[in-house]
């Protein structure tokens, strides 16, 4: 029996009435039971199938006991339209009939209690007749029960697609006119893992989860090992596959091989995945050697978000889509020239930026193309770009689609193995299984699984094995991506450019933060100067910030806290600016006179010189001189004497910091404790002026008194 992923697939479903007499109140009982599927065999019904087996567990997730939980399998009518497939994926009500009678799961399930689910159905007689014709059928695992204080209701269900190549015991029909198929196999991380990678310093990861992903049962390791086994076993499958690689992932794993650090709250510690990184890169090179490879954008960045970080400037988009050299360097394979697989459909402005960056072919969702469904490609009107559509229905089956409001069954399309089962069903349907040729049966199928598809090596292997069997059965034929792209586009059309989708785009707050950091990085670069002895370009020093901006715009952050997306860029900027520092004085500084200069020791650990200005804050009692730019040479430090003037005698403090001419802060401020016993020239002048004024006022008062006294004597006489 072929098995699902080793870990269970958990799906929660809203309570709905299962019996004709169930009341509305019963339908609103809430999600009471969770079904965890552990096995389904077979995954595709063929003439040799004799039984259908489903295994798993049922768990009471509510706060009330459930009496008499029962399970049965139900099968719907063969799907004949895309809408019919979509209804199954979205959980809409479909017409079905029981494949089995209800079987008891347990007498009672207390809250938190689980019971095994095990159904084996002989595919004989009337049961075999339900799958008599080739096609794709809805299959429902339905669990009913009676919650405490309620009536009988459907309390849990899982729906999926079941392809039938040939009815049990029936001869397989001859096939003709099968569409060609190309399968993309994406390799990108769950999220960008880099915390900081400053120029000339070891890479620091935010955590060590990537080491787990690329070793043992990790997702990325499973993607590589399962594909390696599959292409060895099936030359047709190997011909159809093209590996989509993320340059950021490869560069990060490569840096891990040379040793790296992991960021923690108490400081950086040594990472433990160097050997795993070496092994994974080696296995990847073996897998993709001599095979088709295409590039993903760096860190799978959202290209529309990049145009909003720096409006009117396409340089960030260019940085994101020029990772082919990184892939070639680390895998010894040259990716398909000018071909890119970004997430979603590019807008008109992004498409312009891509063509300027040398991208000629974009693999994209067919949903926004006009005319839709052009399997052979679309030449965009007014552009030299070609859009090669991926199959939207298959992608939706494997990724998950929005559920129908009030649906009686919520499908498990986002769960690991159920998603791949639905992917097999959608592929079989789009290949025309049980259908006549028509608009639902295109000539070419470009299959694009979820970019971060998460399953076990066993599940990946099962999926690939079954796709290989589709090829062997003639349901589809293998076509490599180069051959597909070598054919001229079928039509000329346009991109449905409705602007960024708030539901799927990068958070506006993330874009705003990244835009601010980009401005600061630009200010840093403009303040730097090439050191003639080190020959390091200022742009190279600031490059880690630019790459961090791409990581911050990654589509991987969708649905995750916004702060996490900008952490890398903030850390990179801090790592650069923190290398130009004002040293904290170890003792109080005595100003010998009112206008004595303030000695400030500045260290510049950058490999470039930098221009900056001193800033004095909290400086009551001290007047700084006129602002000017100071130059701090690369890799050195010395005292600089800052013109200041004491405005009063006594003890006081001042905070000294540095900023670039454009205002980007450098390092942190240092607190200077000062004492002064003398006054500056301005203070002395002001004091003298005040004394003169006091003398004049006193003289005037004496004069008036003398005058008044004389006037009094004259009156008496």
């Amino acid at each position: 029996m072929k098995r699902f992923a080793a870990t269970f697939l958990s799906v929660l479903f809203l309570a709905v009435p299962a019996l004709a007499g169930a009341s509305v109140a019963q339908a609103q009982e809430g999600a009471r039971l969770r079904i965890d599927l552990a096995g389904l065999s077979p995954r595709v019904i063929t003439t040799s199938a004799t039984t259908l087996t489903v295994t798993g567990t049922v768990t009471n997730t509510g706060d009330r006991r459930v009496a008499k939980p029962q399970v049965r399998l139900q099968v719907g009518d063969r799907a004949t339209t895309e809408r019919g497939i979509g209804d199954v994926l979205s959980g809409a009500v479909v017409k079905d009939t029981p494949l089995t009678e209800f079987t008891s799961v347990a007498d009672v399930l207390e809250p938190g209690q689980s019971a095994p689910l095990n159904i084996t159905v002989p595919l004989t007689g009337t049961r075999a007749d339900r799958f008599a014709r080739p096609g794709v059928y809805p299959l429902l695992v339905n669990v009913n029960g009676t919650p405490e204080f309620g009536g009988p209701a459907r309390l849990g269900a899982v729906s999926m697609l079941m392809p039938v190549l040939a009815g049990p015991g029936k001869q397989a029909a001859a096939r003709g006119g099968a569409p060609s198929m190309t399968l993309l196999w994406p390799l990108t991380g769950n999220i960008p893992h880099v915390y900081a990678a400053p120029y000339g310093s070891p890479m620091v990861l935010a955590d060590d989860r990537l080491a787990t992903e690329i070793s043992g049962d990790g997702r990325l390791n499973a993607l590589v090992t399962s594909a390696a086994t599959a292409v060895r076993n099936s030359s047709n499958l190997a011909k159809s596959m093209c590996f989509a690689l993320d340059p950021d992932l490869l560069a990060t794993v490569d840096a891990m091989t040379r040793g790296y650090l992991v960021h923690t709250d108490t400081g950086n510690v040594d990472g433990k995945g160097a050997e795993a990184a070496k092994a994974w890169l080696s296995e990847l090179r073996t897998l993709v050697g001599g095979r088709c490879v295409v590039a993903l954008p760096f860190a799978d960045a959202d290209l529309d978000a990049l145009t909003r970080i720096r409006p009117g400037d396409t340089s960030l988009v260019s940085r994101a889509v020029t990772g082919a050299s990184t892939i070639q360097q680390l895998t010894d394979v040259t990716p398909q020239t000018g071909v890119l697989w970004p997430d979603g459909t590019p807008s008109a402005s992004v498409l312009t930026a891509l063509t300027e960056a040398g991208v000629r072919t974009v693999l994209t969702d067919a949903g926004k193309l006009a005319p839709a469904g052009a399997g052979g490609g679309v030449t965009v009107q007014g552009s030299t770009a070609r859009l090669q559509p991926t199959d939207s229905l298959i992608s939706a089956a494997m990724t998950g689609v929005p559920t129908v409001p009030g649906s009686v069954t919520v499908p498990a399309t986002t769960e690991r193995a159920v998603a791949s089962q639905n992917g097999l069903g959608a592929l079989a349907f789009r290949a025309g299984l049980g259908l006549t040729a028509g608009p639902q049966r295109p000539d070419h199928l470009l299959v694009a699984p979820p970019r971060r598809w998460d399953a076990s090596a066993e599940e990946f292997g099962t999926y690939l094995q079954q796709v290989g069997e589709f090829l062997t059965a003639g349901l589809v034929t293998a076509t490599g991506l180069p051959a597909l792209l070598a054919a001229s586009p079928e039509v000329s059309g346009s991109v449905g450019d409705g602007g960024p989708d708030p539901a799927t785009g990068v958070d506006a707050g993330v874009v705003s933060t990244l835009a601010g950091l980009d401005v600061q990085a630009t200010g840093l670069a403009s303040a730097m100067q090439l050191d003639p002895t080190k020959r390091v370009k200022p742009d190279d020093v600031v490059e880690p910030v630019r790459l961090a901006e791409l990581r911050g715009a990654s589509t991987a952050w969708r649905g995750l806290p916004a702060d996490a997306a900008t952490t890398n860029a903030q850390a990179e900027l801090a790592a650069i600016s923190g290398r130009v520092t004002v040293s904290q004085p170890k003792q109080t500084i005595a100003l010998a006179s009112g206008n004595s200069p303030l000695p400030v020791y500045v260290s510049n650990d950058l490999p470039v010189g930098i221009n900056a200005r001193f800033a004095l804050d909290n400086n009551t009692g001290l007047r700084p001189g006129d602002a000017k730019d100071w130059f701090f040479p690369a890799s050195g430090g010395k005292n600089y004497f800052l013109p200041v003037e004491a405005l009063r005698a006594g003890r006081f403090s001042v905070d000294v910091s540095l900023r670039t001419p454009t205002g980007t802060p450098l390092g942190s401020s240092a607190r200077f404790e000062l004492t002064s016993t003398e006054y500056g020239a301005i203070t002395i002048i002001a004091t003298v002026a005040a004394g003169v004024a006091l003398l004049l006022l006193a003289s005037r008062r004496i004069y008036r008194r003398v005058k008044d006294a004389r006037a009094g004597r004259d009156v008496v006489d």
Side-chain angles (χ1 to χ4, degrees):
M1 178 185 71
K2 300 178 183 177
R3 302 218 12 116
F4 271 119
T7 54
F8 287 159
L9 314 175
S10 302
V11 186
L12 299 181
F13 296 93
L14 299 177
V16 293
L19 305 178
S23 67
V24 174
Q26 293 167 347
Q28 297 175 344
E29 284 288 340
R32 298 289 177 187
L33 299 179
R34 184 185 72 233
I35 302 172
D36 298 318
L37 294 183
L40 172 67
S41 180
R43 301 291 285 272
V44 174
I45 294 177
T46 63
T47 185
S48 60
T50 58
T51 59
L52 176 62
T53 300
V54 178
T55 61
T57 59
V58 177
T59 303
N60 183 353
T61 57
D63 57 359
R64 303 178 188 176
R65 69 164 54 187
V66 174
K68 298 181 179 179
Q70 298 176 316
V71 62
R72 75 177 177 188
L73 293 184
Q74 298 168 200
V75 60
D77 293 336
R78 186 181 60 148
T80 58
T81 64
E82 287 192 26
R83 180 175 179 177
I85 296 294
D87 286 344
V88 178
L89 301 178
S90 65
V93 176
V94 297
K95 180 182 178 181
D96 58 27
T97 57
L99 192 61
T100 69
E101 300 298 327
F102 274 110
T103 302
S104 176
V105 174
D107 292 334
V108 172
L109 282 180
E110 300 288 346
Q113 188 176 8
S114 299
L117 178 156
N118 195 327
I119 305 174
T120 297
V121 184
L123 295 181
T124 57
T126 57
R127 294 187 178 94
D129 291 342
R130 293 294 301 133
F131 300 112
R133 300 174 62 191
V136 179
Y137 294 77
L139 186 66
L140 182 74
V141 182
N142 176 26
V143 179
N144 282 10
T146 304
E148 195 173 14
F149 311 120
R154 177 183 293 178
L155 302 181
V158 173
S159 62
M160 66 193 83
L161 300 173
M162 174 58 74
V164 177
L165 292 183
K170 296 184 179 295
Q171 185 176 0
R175 306 185 193 282
S180 66
M181 183 206 70
T182 303
L183 173 62
L184 297 174
W185 198 251
L187 288 166
T188 187
N190 284 330
I191 58 171
H193 290 276
V194 176
Y195 177 80
Y199 180 87
S201 299
M203 180 183 67
V204 182
L205 298 185
D207 51 56
D208 218 2
R209 285 183 292 172
L210 185 54
T212 302
E213 280 198 67
I214 60 176
S215 60
D217 295 331
R219 184 183 69 88
L220 289 171
N221 196 44
L223 283 165
V224 170
T225 57
S226 60
T229 301
V231 298
R232 283 196 303 268
N233 294 338
S234 173
S235 59
N236 271 338
L237 182 63
K239 176 182 176 181
S240 73
M241 292 185 74
C242 193
F243 299 91
L245 307 182
D246 175 6
D248 180 44
L249 172 65
L250 298 190
T252 302
V253 176
D254 179 60
M256 291 172 66
T257 65
R258 297 185 290 275
Y260 64 101
L261 301 174
V262 175
H263 177 73
T264 70
D265 293 337
T266 57
N268 295 335
V269 299
D270 290 335
K272 300 179 179 179
E275 294 304 316
K278 294 175 185 177
W280 188 80
L281 272 181
S282 176
E283 292 171 1
L284 178 64
R285 291 189 191 101
T286 301
L287 170 64
V288 302
R291 305 191 189 282
C292 173
V293 169
V294 295
L296 297 171
F298 186 92
D300 195 24
D302 184 310
L303 302 182
D304 180 77
L306 297 182
T307 64
R308 291 184 283 132
I309 291 174
R310 197 183 290 177
D313 187 337
T314 61
S315 58
L316 282 179
V317 174
S318 297
R319 287 172 184 263
V321 303
T322 52
S325 60
T326 299
I327 294 174
Q328 195 280 330
Q329 177 185 355
L330 298 178
T331 65
D332 297 326
V333 176
T334 301
Q336 297 296 302
T337 303
V339 180
L340 184 76
W341 181 24
D343 194 17
T345 303
S347 63
S349 60
V350 169
L351 200 58
T352 299
L354 291 178
T355 55
E356 292 175 355
V359 175
R360 300 195 298 271
T361 302
V362 179
L363 312 181
T364 185
D365 181 1
K368 293 184 180 180
L369 297 182
V378 175
T379 299
V380 179
Q381 296 170 352
S383 171
T384 59
R386 168 185 179 150
L387 301 186
Q388 186 64 42
T390 58
D391 192 280
S392 300
L393 182 67
I394 300 173
S395 295
M398 302 182 74
T399 305
V401 297
T403 58
V404 174
S407 64
V408 298
T409 301
V410 180
T413 49
T414 57
E415 295 302 325
R416 302 166 87 189
V418 175
S420 66
Q421 177 65 25
N422 286 340
L424 292 172
L427 172 58
F429 175 82
R430 295 290 281 141
L433 183 62
L435 304 176
T436 58
Q440 298 178 88
R441 186 176 180 178
D443 294 331
H444 310 280
L445 293 173
L446 182 53
V447 180
R451 306 167 87 78
R452 295 170 187 83
W453 188 10
D454 188 8
S456 66
E458 181 182 13
E459 181 58 30
F460 290 138
T462 297
Y463 174 83
L464 289 173
Q465 179 183 352
Q466 190 58 64
V467 173
E469 291 178 7
F470 283 169
L471 289 165
T472 301
L475 185 64
V476 287
T477 62
T479 297
L481 184 65
L484 177 61
L485 299 182
S488 299
E490 293 179 348
V491 295
S492 176
S494 61
V495 178
D497 187 6
D501 185 353
T504 60
V506 176
D507 184 89
V510 170
V511 173
S512 177
T513 299
L514 293 176
L517 295 172
D518 182 74
V519 171
Q520 293 188 55
T522 300
L524 271 175
S526 65
M528 295 176 178
Q529 293 186 19
L530 181 74
D531 183 89
T533 61
K534 298 186 177 298
R535 309 298 299 173
V536 176
K537 297 178 181 179
D539 285 344
D540 292 340
V541 178
V542 180
E543 179 70 4
V545 182
R546 308 302 191 197
L547 298 181
E549 292 172 29
L550 304 184
R551 296 187 187 105
S554 173
T555 60
W557 297 115
R558 291 172 182 167
L560 298 177
D563 290 347
T566 60
T567 297
N568 181 206
Q570 291 172 332
E572 299 288 11
L573 193 66
I576 297 172
S577 62
R579 295 176 68 176
V580 184
T581 59
V582 175
S583 297
Q584 181 80 35
K586 297 181 180 179
Q587 58 188 16
T588 300
I589 297 176
L591 300 179
S593 63
N595 59 355
S596 294
L598 180 65
V600 180
Y601 190 86
V602 177
S603 299
N604 176 16
D605 290 335
L606 293 172
V608 293
I610 190 165
N611 294 303
R613 296 174 181 176
F614 287 102
L616 272 61
D617 299 309
N618 188 32
N619 60 334
T620 302
L622 196 70
R623 184 194 303 274
D626 294 337
K628 71 170 186 175
D629 292 347
W630 298 69
F631 178 70
F632 305 101
S635 303
K638 70 174 186 177
N639 267 318
Y640 296 83
F641 295 94
L642 186 61
V644 295
E645 181 184 355
L647 301 179
R648 60 180 175 84
R651 185 183 181 95
F652 48 93
S653 62
V654 62
D655 295 328
V656 182
S657 59
L658 288 168
R659 293 182 176 88
T660 66
T662 58
T664 300
L666 297 172
S668 56
S669 62
R671 173 65 59 88
F672 284 62
E673 298 294 339
L674 309 176
T675 60
S676 177
T677 57
E678 298 191 27
Y679 298 105
I682 295 178
T683 304
I684 293 175
I685 292 172
T687 303
V688 171
V692 170
L694 181 62
L695 179 60
L696 290 174
L697 290 173
S699 299
R700 182 172 180 273
R701 187 172 184 181
I702 293 172
Y703 169 77
R704 291 180 63 87
R705 285 186 178 180
V706 171
K707 183 179 179 181
D708 290 344
R710 288 178 178 176
R713 287 197 298 272
D714 291 343
V715 172
V716 172
D717 292 344

